[in-house]
């Protein structure tokens, strides 16, 4: 007996209490997710779960009629449900306060309730993949809801009631309330107004180009704080489509961090930075582009089939000449170039606080041939995540220090108001500060004079690089499928923001980054400058870059070279589609009003 009392006393006492008392759970409210200014992105509304204990009912018929009236149930079916031999029957989940009040006001015994929490998202389908959603049990399943679940989830409470052996409430018995502890609030780096701007750009991309998918990230390149993370397509977080699990998984994963793509020419930002930093090249070094390079016996084409001729390194960056970047990569050699790729963080995860991040895919260093290295130099034969590309390029323009992209600003206790700031690694050296200054100038010239002109906003300093990459399926080039992108940087002191916009498989001829993504990024910057009240400073360059609006001539029937020469003389950037020598069509169409920021696509058959 002594062994039972001493050795098992506490355990047996706990079991006895569970027999003497009934408990109704009180679910803890989940913490809120907020933007940087306190705007609520995810919140919890109180709902109620209603229970009946058949043994405690004084008049089952009357109780069934009341429940049926309040919830619109069938009275006979309700009576059958509450007449079963069970200690407790769940009558309703997620009931409104008015419905609960109607039941309590009746004074009928045997009806109990527990608080339930309904997770809701005030902005619906905004930030779908980044915010994520919760399961039926309230646990975070995707996005920030999952990543910071340990902070957002609170501690459940309970209502304990004294009962007899068959579960009836004891007259004069007591009840004990163990309050739930609310979860902590997660304050993010998101700016809802910037998020709206990014979401609007993706809606425009969807309407113009009918793409398979699109994404946009806005990040402070000096700190790694993410101000906006938008993806298309998305769905309303208040109505999660759970019927098709496979489809839901595809739509809910954050492609910005979990999917790799061949970056194409945006990768040239990194090649140029590494080549300059090592002293392999100088901005004044000259290169000759005949339209291709033969490496390891393989002909690798420049995007301009007829070649760029003799160009300086600076001009090669501005004109995005593949041959310049092949030579730069080969000049560095595999070991040196891969050391820089490691410094940029591309061969590992960035550490961004979103579930499902993957790392870039690169050929093993010991297996890299010269032909591979040449292709890597201009953004082929590699695959990176959008967030990885953004983080790597951020250090190129911020003075040469690494940053960790992140969404967490702080975790805040809703009771005391105390908070803990998020800590993310940064500050390791990638390139010299002097190299970063040179790169800022080179990339600004791309926007002023090169393929990024359609991202130019008069009165503001913007740098950037376009990207147009072919897609691969089953190891082969997928004909007619491209990824169009633009990676831009505001060089304005008040808004040190990078914007990466990617459009996956835009429909039709308009698949070049200069035509698809660059204009949208220009719109994003224009709206951000207006949002933050950044005033333009006009220097006189604007008139030369933009020029006066004019009607675009008809170039049909001209040779490609003749049309290109005339377009360049008009101050317009030119792209061509097809390998023909004669212009068969053009976009924009003849007669369209344009200015110096426009890019014209010549169709050659």
């Amino acid at each position: 007996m002594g062994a039972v009392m001493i050795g098992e006393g506490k355990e047996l006492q706990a079991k006895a209490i569970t027999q003497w008392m009934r408990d109704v759970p009180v679910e803890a409210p989940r913490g809120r997710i907020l933007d940087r200014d306190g705007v609520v992105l995810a919140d919890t509304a109180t709902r109620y779960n209603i229970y009946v204990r058949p043994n405690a009912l004084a008049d089952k018929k009357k109780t069934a009629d009341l429940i049926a009236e309040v919830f619109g149930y069938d009275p006979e079916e309700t009576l059958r449900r509450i007449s079963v031999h069970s200690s407790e029957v769940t009558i309703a989940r997620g009931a409104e306060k008015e419905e609960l009040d109607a039941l309590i006001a009746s004074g009928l015994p045997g009806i109990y309730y527990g608080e339930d929490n309904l997770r809701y998202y005030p902005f619906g389908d905004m930030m779908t993949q980044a915010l994520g959603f919760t399961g039926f049990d309230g646990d975070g399943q995707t996005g920030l809801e999952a990543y910071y679940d340990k902070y957002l989830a609170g501690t459940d409470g309970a209502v304990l009631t004294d009962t007899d052996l068959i579960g009836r409430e004891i007259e004069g018995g007591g009840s004990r309330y163990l309050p739930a502890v609310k979860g902590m609030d997660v304050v993010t780096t998101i700016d809802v107004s910037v998020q709206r701007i990014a979401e609007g750009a993706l809606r425009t991309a969807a309407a113009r180009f009918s793409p398979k998918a699109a994404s946009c990230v806005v990040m402070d390149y000096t700190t790694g704080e993410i101000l906006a993370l938008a993806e298309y397509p998305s769905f309303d977080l208040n109505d999660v489509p759970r019927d098709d699990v496979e489809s839901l998984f595809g739509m809910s994963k954050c492609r910005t961090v979990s999917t790799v793509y061949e970056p194409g020419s945006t990768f040239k930002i990194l090649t140029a930075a590494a080549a300059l930093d090592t002293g392999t090249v100088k901005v004044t070094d000259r290169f000759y582009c005949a339209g291709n390079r033969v490496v390891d016996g393989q002909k690798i084409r420049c995007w301009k089939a007829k070649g760029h001729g003799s160009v300086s390194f600076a001009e090669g960056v501005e004109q995005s000449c593949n041959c310049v970047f092949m030579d730069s990569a080969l000049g560095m050699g595999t070991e040196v170039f891969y050391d820089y790729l490691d410094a940029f963080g591309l061969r590992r995860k960035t550490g961004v606080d979103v579930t499902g991040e993957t790392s870039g895919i690169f050929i093993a260093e010991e297996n890299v041939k010269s032909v591979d290295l040449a292709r890597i130099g201009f953004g082929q034969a590699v695959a990176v995540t959008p967030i990885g590309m953004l983080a790597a390029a951020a250090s190129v323009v911020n003075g040469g220090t690494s940053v960790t992209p992140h969404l967490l600003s702080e975790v805040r206790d809703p009771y005391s108001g105390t908070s803990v700031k998020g800590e993310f690694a940064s500050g390791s050296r990638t390139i010299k500060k002097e190299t970063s200054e040179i790169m800022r100038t080179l990339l600004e010239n791309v926007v002023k004079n090169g393929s990024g002109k359609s991202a130019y906003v008069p009165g503001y300093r913007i740098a950037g690089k376009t990207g147009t990459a072919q897609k691969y399926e089953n190891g082969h080039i997928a004909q007619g499928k491209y990824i169009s992108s633009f990676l831009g940087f505001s060089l304005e002191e008040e808004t040190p923001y990078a914007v990466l916009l990617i459009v996956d498989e835009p429909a039709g001829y308009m698949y070049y980054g200069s035509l698809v993504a660059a204009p949208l990024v220009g719109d994003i910057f224009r709206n951000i400058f207006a949002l933050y009240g950044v005033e333009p400073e006009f220097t006189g360059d604007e008139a030369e870059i933009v020029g006066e609006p004019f009607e675009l001539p008809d170039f049909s029937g001209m040779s490609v070279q003749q049309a290109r020469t005339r377009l360049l003389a008009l101050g317009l950037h030119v792209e061509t589609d097809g390998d023909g020598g004669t212009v068969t069509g053009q976009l924009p169409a003849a007669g369209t009003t344009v200015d110096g920021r426009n890019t014209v696509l010549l169709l050659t058959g």
Side-chain angles (χ1 to χ4, degrees):
M1 178 64 71
V4 172
M5 292 178 63
I6 297 172
E8 303 178 28
K10 289 186 178 180
E11 182 181 348
L12 293 172
Q13 185 180 27
K15 289 182 177 179
I17 290 174
T18 62
Q19 293 178 346
W20 302 334
M21 308 189 79
R22 293 292 179 194
D23 69 283
V24 174
V26 177
E27 188 178 340
R30 194 168 174 82
R32 298 175 300 171
I33 302 177
L34 310 170
D35 92 331
R36 60 174 52 209
D37 296 318
V39 177
V40 178
L41 303 175
D43 205 350
T44 300
T46 301
R47 295 291 184 268
Y48 303 91
N49 294 331
I50 312 298
Y51 310 91
V52 162
R53 292 183 184 138
N55 290 334
L57 297 176
D59 188 333
K60 292 182 180 179
K61 176 69 167 62
K62 189 173 183 180
T63 303
D65 288 343
L66 172 66
I67 292 171
E69 180 182 349
V70 170
F71 294 108
Y73 296 162
D74 177 79
E76 292 186 8
E77 175 61 21
T78 304
L79 179 60
R80 185 194 66 76
R81 288 180 61 195
I82 67 174
S83 299
V84 298
H85 295 290
S86 176
S87 60
E88 191 170 271
V89 177
T90 300
I91 292 302
R93 291 188 179 276
E96 300 280 352
K97 183 68 164 57
E98 294 77 10
E99 295 169 327
L100 173 64
D101 289 344
L103 297 176
I104 293 175
S106 71
L108 293 174
I111 302 176
Y112 303 88
Y113 71 91
E115 290 186 358
D116 191 13
N117 294 306
L118 174 68
R119 195 64 163 170
Y120 72 95
Y121 303 86
F123 294 95
D125 65 350
M126 192 172 83
M127 275 189 75
T128 296
Q129 292 79 9
L131 283 176
F133 53 86
T134 60
F136 292 113
D137 58 1
D139 293 335
Q141 291 192 322
T142 65
L144 289 173
E145 292 278 29
Y147 198 94
Y148 289 115
D149 187 68
K150 65 180 180 181
Y151 300 119
L152 292 165
T155 303
D156 291 346
V159 177
L160 305 176
T161 306
D162 293 326
T163 62
D164 61 19
L165 289 176
I166 60 174
R168 293 178 300 191
E169 187 173 342
I170 298 174
E171 188 174 346
S175 292
R176 296 164 182 79
Y177 175 63
L178 303 178
V181 179
K182 184 179 180 180
M184 295 184 176
D185 290 338
V186 168
V187 183
T188 69
T189 59
I190 292 292
D191 183 323
V192 161
S193 296
V194 178
Q195 180 71 30
R196 284 197 179 107
I197 292 170
E199 300 266 355
L202 294 193
R203 285 195 295 273
T204 300
R208 287 181 185 172
F209 308 111
S210 302
K212 176 182 178 181
S215 59
C216 180
V217 188
V218 181
M219 185 184 80
D220 185 323
Y221 55 75
T222 65
T223 65
E225 295 180 353
I226 296 174
L227 286 84
L229 199 169
E231 297 197 354
Y232 164 87
S234 63
F235 56 87
D236 189 340
L237 288 168
N238 297 306
D239 187 21
V240 178
R242 302 179 192 271
D243 295 339
D244 187 337
V245 176
E246 185 176 348
S247 175
L248 176 60
F249 176 76
M251 286 195 297
S252 60
K253 72 176 182 177
C254 188
R255 294 179 296 275
T256 300
V257 305
S258 65
T259 303
V260 295
Y261 74 113
E262 188 176 272
S265 292
T266 54
F267 196 83
K268 294 173 181 175
I269 295 172
L270 308 180
T271 306
L276 287 168
D277 205 58
T278 58
T280 302
V281 300
K282 298 188 294 291
V283 292
T284 55
D285 286 351
R286 299 202 69 80
F287 300 77
Y288 186 79
C289 170
N292 64 76
R293 282 284 188 274
V294 177
V295 184
D296 288 346
Q298 294 187 38
K299 182 182 287 188
I300 309 174
R301 295 175 56 184
C302 181
W303 66 265
K304 187 175 181 182
K306 295 185 183 299
H308 290 89
S310 177
V311 292
S312 68
F313 182 79
E315 292 168 336
V317 173
E318 188 177 301
Q319 297 174 32
S320 198
C321 174
N322 288 357
C323 291
V324 168
F325 291 94
M326 285 189 263
D327 290 353
S328 298
L330 291 168
M332 281 185 284
T334 302
E335 182 178 355
V336 171
F337 196 14
Y338 266 52
D339 284 345
Y340 272 87
L341 297 181
D342 285 337
F344 288 132
L346 282 174
R347 295 208 291 168
R348 61 180 181 272
K349 297 178 182 179
T350 67
V352 65
D353 48 347
V354 179
T355 53
E357 185 185 12
T358 189
S359 57
I361 300 173
F362 291 81
I363 301 169
E365 186 174 339
E366 61 273 16
N367 296 330
V368 175
K369 304 182 187 70
S370 293
V371 66
D372 301 320
L373 187 60
R375 292 185 183 279
I376 293 171
F378 62 91
Q380 286 187 0
V382 296
V384 297
T385 60
I387 200 69
M389 185 66 221
L390 182 62
S395 73
V396 172
V397 297
N398 73 7
T401 58
S402 66
V403 296
T404 298
H406 60 275
L407 287 160
L408 176 67
S409 175
E410 64 183 25
V411 177
R412 186 181 298 162
D413 186 331
Y415 297 100
S416 66
T418 58
S419 63
V420 177
K421 294 284 186 180
E423 294 185 5
F424 300 89
S426 64
S428 64
R429 178 62 55 184
T430 59
I431 57 174
K432 302 181 191 74
K433 187 175 181 179
E434 296 78 12
T435 305
S436 177
E437 288 295 328
I438 295 171
M439 286 302 303
R440 286 164 69 98
T441 300
L442 293 178
L443 294 174
E444 187 175 9
N445 287 335
V446 171
V447 174
K448 285 183 175 180
N449 308 310
S451 60
K453 285 184 74 173
S454 52
Y456 179 74
V457 181
Y460 300 94
R461 296 185 62 202
I462 297 172
K465 190 75 188 70
T466 57
T468 307
Q470 292 178 303
K471 295 186 68 174
Y472 289 80
E473 293 178 352
N474 302 318
H476 300 283
I477 292 175
Q479 293 299 323
K481 295 184 178 181
Y482 298 87
I483 293 179
S484 304
S485 63
F486 187 81
L487 178 48
F489 308 90
S490 161
L491 301 184
E492 300 295 331
E493 186 176 351
E494 305 95 321
T495 52
Y497 301 152
V499 178
L500 175 59
L501 190 141
I502 298 174
V503 181
D504 186 1
E505 294 187 24
Y509 296 108
M510 301 276 281
Y511 58 81
Y512 288 94
S514 56
L515 291 160
V516 175
L520 296 172
V521 173
D523 290 341
I524 289 172
F525 277 128
R526 184 180 296 104
N527 288 321
I528 287 177
F529 296 144
L531 173 67
Y532 289 112
V534 182
E535 296 294 333
E537 292 186 16
F538 297 103
T539 62
D541 291 344
E542 293 77 17
E544 182 179 341
I545 296 169
V546 177
E548 293 295 327
F550 61 93
E551 286 191 3
L552 190 66
D554 187 352
F555 298 98
S556 298
M558 292 185 186
S559 71
V560 172
Q561 188 57 46
Q562 182 183 9
R564 178 184 291 278
T565 300
R566 288 192 58 183
L567 283 164
L568 292 176
L570 291 169
L572 301 176
H573 182 70
V574 187
E575 302 279 10
T576 58
D577 183 78
D579 295 322
T582 303
V583 177
T584 58
Q586 66 187 65
L587 293 169
T592 302
T593 300
V594 297
D595 61 33
R597 289 169 294 179
N598 282 88
T599 293
V600 176
L601 175 64
L602 299 176
L603 307 179
T604 68

